[in-house]
Amino acid sequence: MQSLIGTGVALVTPFKKDFSVDTEALTKIVNYVIEGGVEYLVVLGTTAESATLSKTEKELVIATIIDANNGRLPLVLGVGGNNTMEVVEELKTRDFSKFTAILSVSPYYNKPTQEGIYQHFKMVAEASPIPVILYNVPGRTASNMLPETVIRLAKDFKNVVAIKEAAGDIVQAMKLIQLKPEGFLVISGDDMVTLPMVLAGGAGVISVIGEGYPKEFSEMVRLGLQRKVDEAYALHYKLMDSIDMIFEQGNPGGIKEIFKSLGLSENTVRLPLVSVNENLASRLDAFTKQLVK
């Protein structure tokens, strides 16, 4: 899956001040990240606040991004959940003709065993008409998909082509890279450890900060893939404070504040999330204005 090497970005869903979906702002953001040099777009991931979007709104977001992208970059669609049968039903009924792959999160809240995680993704892999990217994010799901489970899935199902690894554990990531079958991609799901993961043999990132600063972050990843270590780390350290800041009061409050600074969208998020406080907003604004001159 060469099209998934490099920087993918987990697109936000911008809202107007009345909390309705802002399709005009979403179109602007899609154009901004494409012009910034990212390699692919991720639709309806966690960063899209998909948990608080209605079915109608999800379809609106999908249609808006497909239209704005206009075939320029590969698209990945978030299709996951903790109700296996519901996920399978969506995989069997949705039109995936515009998508390169799905991104499917490990079941959250239920806290399945490793065997339960395997059986869930076995059903997903058998139902999906397009390649599957597994998504491990223990901080949100309350369970860690271990390397042994990932490798077992990668070996058993040809359409399980990658993992977005967001445990924030570089040793676990290295274990995945060590054991993975040829062609399977280990993608960072954690902006701060993206460069170390790439240099260890990872394939890139599905990023949040990369949509705020697409030019700088995607260039850092490309330099890492080219083994230009010093140049890549110079960019990493330049961006490092902003990565901490955007997650300081939760995602996507921080990244939406950057989009407000850039004049691309409002900073509105939906409850139970709230916008970042004035102190963090001013720090993000100052960083953005200094970086994006």
Side-chain angles (χ1 to χ4, degrees), residues 194-214:
T194 291
L195 185 55
M197 274 182 68
V198 166
L199 293 171
V205 64
I206 293 174
S207 175
V208 179
I209 198 67
E211 67 181 313
Y213 311 130

Side-chain angles (χ1 to χ4, degrees), residues 198-243:
V198 166
L199 293 171
V205 64
I206 293 174
S207 175
V208 179
I209 198 67
E211 67 181 313
Y213 311 130
K215 184 167 166 282
E216 294 79 8
F217 201 77
S218 65
E219 180 62 14
M220 180 199 80
V221 174
R222 279 189 292 275
L223 288 166
L225 289 165
Q226 292 162 15
R227 294 294 184 263
K228 294 180 178 175
V229 180
D230 294 342
E231 298 98 315
Y233 266 115
L235 278 170
H236 170 86
Y237 288 122
K238 190 176 177 182
L239 294 167
M240 197 165 157
D241 289 347
S242 70
I243 296 170

Side-chain angles (χ1 to χ4, degrees), residues 7 11 29 31 33 42 53 59 61 72 79 91 93 103-104 124 139 145 165 169 206-207 215 259 290-291:
T7 300
L11 292 166
I29 289 167
N31 286 323
V33 296
V42 178
L53 294 175
E59 297 308 324
V61 167
R72 287 178 287 176
V79 183
L91 289 168
T93 55
L103 176 67
S104 197
V124 168
M145 182 162 39
E165 175 53 49
D169 181 341
I206 293 174
S207 175
K215 184 167 166 282
F259 284 139
Q290 167 265 318
L291 182 74

Side-chain angles (χ1 to χ4, degrees), residues 15 17 252-253 256-257 260 265-269 274-276 281:
F15 300 120
K17 285 184 175 168
K256 284 194 166 182
E257 203 61 50
K260 185 185 177 187
S265 73
E266 296 289 345
N267 62 351
T268 313
V269 293
V274 293
S275 299
V276 303

